[in-house]
Amino acid sequence: MSHVVVDPVTRIEGHLRIEAEVDGGVVRDAWSSSTMFRGIELILQGRDPRDAWAFTQRICGVCTTVHAITSIRAVENAIGATPPPNARLLRNLIIASQCVQDHVVHFYHLHALDWVDIVSALSADPAKTSSLAESISDWPKSSTKYFAGVRDRVKGFVDRGQLGPFANAYWGHPAYKLPPEANLMAVAHYLEALEWQRDFIRMHAVLGGKNPHLQSFLVGGMATPIDPDQQASINVGTIAGLRELVASAKEFVTKVYIPDLLAVASFYKDWAGHGAGVGNYMVYGEYPEDDGRQPALYLPSGIIRAKNLATVERLDPAKITEYVTHSWYDYGGGDEKGLHPASGETKPNYTGPKPPYERLDTAKKYSWLKAPRYDGQPMEVGPLSRMLVAYASGHPRVKELVGAVLAKLNVGPAALFSTLGRVAARGIETQVLAEKMGDWLDALTTNMANHDLRIHDTSKWDPSSWPADCTGAGFHEAPRGALGHWVHIKDGAIANYQCIVPSTWNAGPRDGPGKRGPYEEALIGTPVADPEKPIEILRTIHSFDPCMACGVHVVDAGKRELARVRVL
Ligand code: NFE
């Protein structure tokens, strides 16, 4: 029996520690611990709820926008503000472009190197690499000369000994299965994706002034003027520029990302049999298509339990609770019970070992993440959950693309419940969203043509128009999954604020009754060839796309003050 500690898990956002018991080459038990504390909820108390989005957006720089949009929705829900249709369309474009960029970055820059061996790429034959690339896509950058150039560029990089992001990996590990040519093709696209994502996210600069942390959100709408005749507004020329970016996304996803995903997956089909996890999937739903109180959503909400695709249950947010039984928080003597986030508490109480430590006391508290549960059950959230709920709900485009990917890999729907299923679902979702964005640009154009330039509902701007005491909840599908913010507003100020982020759902520890969280459960049964180089653990954990920054923030285990920050 080996006790494996992976700390820090790299190529993620934030700080994550995994401990696992490996016996007979297989993970028998696992613990997921986030080693930082997030205090944004406390910073928000007493503030103007119209400012909350600007604070919460700083929870994370990777899923930038997502906490802003969720906060705005929570406050609008509490005070009864209704954004006009143009604001909904701009928000959908911002959210979808965030997701598309984030998924491409995850596939190439955070996850691909678990499957792609950089060192092996150096021995690839560029002519064979060109034939391989041309056999799977008509992407123009596929010549022998191009791949020879990439190989020489990477070789120069390696020869100088400046490995940068490629340092300290398990290159040459027997779990890497791609031939050198597939490795070289993937490395070339890793480099191209770096450039592509930087260009594509200009969508956010256009719609929000900058990225990360867009500046154009506003409770009741958006702060972006729309006017076809004004230079400083979203006008016809701006929309034409956005259309070009959307076209570039569709091209990159269909000609590079999806073909690469299928090529890599075809060598790792055994990973369709690992990493299933809890088998329960939760989706809040996203992309409102109208402006009603309960709008139709392009990607539906729902719950799937125990991998049963025959039934999609209606989601009821009242069934959400958070446990701190194994988390460094204090519920005032009642740590065995779960609390609904509307009455949730954030009282940090670090009881873990002083660093440096060898082991966490996993029988007690061992993470800064709480353990969220739905109807008492752990739920996986994220692209796989969204694609499963959409697939099982009969979403036409999702069904078509899921069917095509399964056919191409020659596997059945059961393969989706796996590490590989998570990777595939993320790619499918990227394509679905890249295709969909053009519809929202069309709708914006139509509204402009009809002289509907409304962007902000001012009727609820003044706090005197709000109830003296009100509560609201905002829901969103962030790239990593279901995100919820709950706000209590009293006399115009925030009385309480709680966020449950996707990585809290997925990476959270055991709950009151002792049930494992999704990361922990997904690791059970994972093969580990060499406990000193546990690449297989990273494959499954990375397939969730962890972001601990969303879950937590800064901590000093000695409880000393790190810095005093004045937030105005
Ligand atoms: Ni910091 Fe996030 C996303 C949120 S965390 S990346 O997506 O919310 O899971």
Side-chain angles (χ1 to χ4, degrees):
M1 170 94 76
S2 311
H3 189 83
V4 176
V5 177
V6 188
D7 184 9
V9 175
T10 55
R11 296 204 306 277
I12 65 165
E13 168 66 12
H15 297 244
L16 173 67
R17 175 185 178 103
I18 297 292
E19 294 196 13
E21 301 287 3
V22 177
D23 196 16
V26 170
V27 174
R28 305 289 174 187
D29 208 347
W31 296 268
S32 163
S33 171
S34 189
T35 52
M36 296 173 82
F37 166 65
R38 182 192 70 214
I40 291 276
E41 285 98 334
L42 303 178
I43 288 173
L44 284 173
Q45 287 177 4
R47 293 185 182 279
D48 188 324
R50 293 169 299 181
D51 293 341
W53 67 267
F55 287 90
T56 58
Q57 188 166 215
R58 269 71 186 175
I59 284 175
C60 184
V62 169
C63 63
T64 177
T65 79
V66 311
H67 294 285
I69 198 93
T70 313
S71 175
I72 292 260
R73 285 176 174 171
V75 174
E76 287 172 349
N77 178 247
I79 66 175
T82 315
N86 287 328
R88 165 177 54 83
L89 294 168
L90 289 187
R91 290 178 185 182
N92 281 356
L93 284 163
I94 288 171
I95 299 168
S97 51
Q98 167 69 41
C99 214
V100 166
Q101 186 225 20
D102 200 283
H103 285 356
V104 169
V105 168
H106 177 263
F107 180 75
Y108 285 102
H109 309 122
L110 301 180
H111 199 20
L113 301 185
D114 295 338
W115 314 96
V116 171
D117 189 332
I118 296 276
V119 173
S120 151
L122 298 180
S123 57
D125 175 345
K128 283 193 195 160
T129 310
S130 170
S131 307
L132 169 68
E134 286 174 354
S135 74
I136 60 171
S137 169
D138 59 357
W139 181 244
K141 291 181 173 177
S142 295
S143 67
T144 301
K145 196 169 161 203
Y146 176 69
F147 286 117
V150 172
R151 189 193 55 185
D152 292 347
R153 194 172 151 199
V154 176
K155 188 167 181 316
F157 189 60
V158 171
D159 287 347
R160 283 195 302 277
Q162 293 174 331
L163 285 175
F166 305 140
N168 297 326
Y170 302 141
W171 308 130
H173 192 291
Y176 284 108
K177 302 282 188 221
L178 297 186
E181 286 70 29
N183 282 317
L184 178 58
M185 181 179 74
V187 173
H189 294 163
Y190 175 111
L191 297 171
E192 285 177 47
L194 266 181
E195 307 245 345
W196 176 82
Q197 60 85 26
R198 185 191 60 204
D199 194 49
F200 173 68
I201 209 59
R202 283 194 288 123
M203 297 252 330
H204 281 189
V206 172
L207 297 174
K210 68 195 264 287
N211 172 279
H213 303 147
L214 284 66
Q215 295 300 299
S216 55
F217 294 105
L218 196 59
V219 168
M222 294 293 286
T224 319
I226 295 199
D227 190 332
D229 301 322
Q230 292 295 327
Q231 190 70 24
S233 299
I234 300 289
N235 56 34
V236 181
T238 330
I239 301 254
L242 294 176
R243 279 192 200 283
E244 278 177 26
L245 292 173
V246 168
S248 94
K250 272 200 278 195
E251 190 181 28
F252 193 83
V253 173
T254 50
K255 293 189 176 178
V256 184
Y257 180 7
I258 298 290
D260 281 355
L261 191 157
L262 292 170
V264 171
S266 66
F267 286 93
Y268 289 106
K269 284 209 258 179
D270 48 330
W271 283 86
H274 305 310
V278 294
N280 303 319
Y281 303 91
M282 187 185 86
V283 181
Y284 292 150
E286 190 51 274
Y287 305 107
E289 297 279 50
D290 62 67
D291 302 284
R293 283 258 165 228
Q294 301 282 334
L297 298 171
Y298 181 60
L299 293 181
S301 72
I303 300 281
I304 289 173
R305 294 195 201 228
K307 302 182 189 169
N308 177 11
L309 293 178
T311 307
V312 178
E313 217 179 285
R314 198 178 66 82
L315 179 132
D316 177 3
K319 294 184 176 171
I320 295 171
T321 50
E322 280 193 302
Y323 286 90
V324 296
T325 324
H326 291 280
S327 314
W328 290 310
Y329 298 92
D330 189 357
Y331 275 173
D335 287 2
E336 302 305 314
K337 65 178 192 294
L339 287 185
H340 186 269
S343 51
E345 296 174 6
T346 305
K347 290 185 193 143
N349 176 28
Y350 184 74
T351 57
K354 280 199 185 348
Y357 49 82
E358 296 212 339
R359 281 194 188 204
L360 292 164
D361 186 357
T362 50
K364 297 184 182 153
K365 292 176 185 275
Y366 62 91
S367 179
W368 279 112
L369 293 178
K370 297 179 185 173
R373 297 292 181 260
Y374 180 85
D375 201 15
Q377 297 302 316
M379 291 279 153
E380 174 171 342
V381 299
L384 176 59
S385 303
R386 287 192 286 262
M387 293 302 98
L388 287 174
V389 166
Y391 180 81
S393 304
H395 187 294
R397 189 58 179 143
V398 170
K399 278 196 85 166
E400 202 174 353
L401 287 174
V402 169
V405 166
L406 294 177
K408 199 97 180 173
L409 295 175
N410 198 20
V411 292
L416 293 166
F417 306 117
S418 68
T419 299
L420 201 58
R422 253 171 235 119
V423 180
R426 192 171 287 109
I428 292 166
E429 177 172 70
T430 314
Q431 180 158 355
V432 169
L433 295 179
E435 290 173 356
K436 180 66 184 168
M437 280 191 280
D439 290 357
W440 297 319
L441 286 172
D442 289 346
L444 263 183
T445 311
T446 305
N447 288 353
M448 277 204 254
N450 292 335
H451 306 288
D452 177 2
L453 309 181
R454 288 171 302 147
I455 196 72
H456 185 226
D457 165 26
T458 51
S459 68
K460 296 283 179 190
W461 183 249
D462 193 324
S464 64
S465 66
W466 307 346
D469 196 324
C470 54
T471 56
F475 300 102
H476 170 45
E477 284 298 329
R480 288 157 194 76
L483 169 63
H485 285 198
W486 286 261
V487 65
H488 176 194
I489 302 171
K490 215 168 167 203
D491 300 326
I494 294 173
N496 197 20
Y497 203 100
Q498 290 286 308
C499 316
I500 307 186
V501 311
S503 293
T504 313
W505 281 100
N506 288 336
R510 283 151 170 79
D511 55 22
K515 272 195 262 349
R516 296 184 188 97
Y519 283 13
E520 297 177 333
E521 193 63 40
L523 285 173
I524 308 299
T526 295
V528 176
D530 177 358
E532 292 297 316
K533 294 180 177 175
I535 178 90
E536 300 91 341
I537 288 179
L538 292 175
R539 284 179 176 168
T540 290
I541 294 298
H542 280 153
S543 74
F544 286 91
D545 191 3
C547 177
M548 297 307 113
C550 275
V552 284
H553 269 188
V554 183
V555 68
D556 177 83
K559 296 187 180 174
R560 289 167 300 232
E561 184 173 292
L562 293 178
R564 196 160 274 236
V565 180
R566 192 156 164 245
V567 191
L568 301 172

